[in-house]
């Protein structure tokens, strides 16, 4: 991994000032937070990346795929210019990305571009 940062990382912020992904991360155990943080850093410095760490979900939406000790986490993000905006984070409970999680990420993307 080179030392040159390809993307700046930003948390999506609601109109009320909340940062849902930051809040979600803070609620996780330290070990899990560190794994997700390392994966985000790999994406930030190595962009563009593909599987197994990054998967494109649809136009303008990707996910960082983190393997935690006993479960799997996903952080859905978008890239604009050299900015990686973290839109939504969740613990994955099934094989497919839940429709509600994808819908929420799309809503936040629309609000971001609003």
């Amino acid at each position: 991994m080179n030392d040159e940062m390809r993307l700046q990382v930003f948390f999506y912020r609601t109109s009320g000032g909340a940062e849902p992904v930051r809040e979600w991360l803070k609620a996780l155990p330290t070990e899990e937070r560190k794994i997700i943080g390392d994966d985000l850093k790999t994406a930030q410095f190595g962009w563009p990346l593909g599987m197994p760490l990054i998967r494109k979900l649809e136009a303008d939406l990707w996910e960082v795929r983190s393997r935690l000790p006993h479960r799997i986490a996903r952080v859905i993000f978008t890239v604009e210019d050299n900015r990686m905006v973290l839109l939504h984070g969740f613990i994955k409970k099934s094989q497919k990305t839940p429709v509600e999680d994808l819908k929420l990420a799309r809503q936040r993307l629309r609000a971001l571009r609003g």
Side-chain angles (χ1 to χ4, degrees):
M1 190 185 316
N2 66 26
D3 290 338
E4 188 181 324
M5 182 174 43
R6 304 271 174 106
L7 298 173
Q8 286 185 288
V9 175
F10 292 88
F11 288 95
Y12 166 79
R13 183 173 288 181
T14 66
S15 56
E19 293 176 323
V21 177
R22 185 188 303 267
E23 292 158 16
W24 171 75
L25 282 169
K26 281 181 168 177
L28 294 174
T30 306
E31 181 186 5
E32 292 184 353
R33 241 189 349 257
K34 182 178 178 346
I35 292 167
I36 295 168
D38 287 347
D39 288 346
L40 289 168
K41 190 182 280 186
T42 299
Q44 177 184 15
F45 283 84
W47 186 257
L49 292 171
M51 293 288 277
L53 183 64
I54 304 290
R55 184 168 76 102
K56 185 173 180 111
L57 297 172
E58 57 188 53
D60 300 326
L61 287 179
W62 290 265
E63 67 179 1
V64 174
R65 304 157 47 89
S66 296
R67 289 185 145 313
L68 306 177
H70 303 290
R71 52 194 188 158
I72 295 171
R74 297 290 187 258
V75 177
I76 300 176
F77 68 96
T78 192
V79 174
E80 293 186 338
D81 301 318
N82 66 336
R83 296 167 25 125
M84 175 185 197
V85 183
L86 309 182
L87 300 170
H88 181 52
F90 62 99
I91 298 298
K92 200 159 178 202
K93 293 179 171 75
S94 65
Q95 199 68 13
K96 230 166 134 37
T97 300
V99 175
E100 288 305 310
D101 289 298
L102 205 46
K103 207 157 108 180
L104 185 55
R106 284 185 198 123
Q107 286 172 347
R108 289 178 179 166
L109 178 61
R110 278 194 304 275
L112 180 70
R113 293 181 171 170

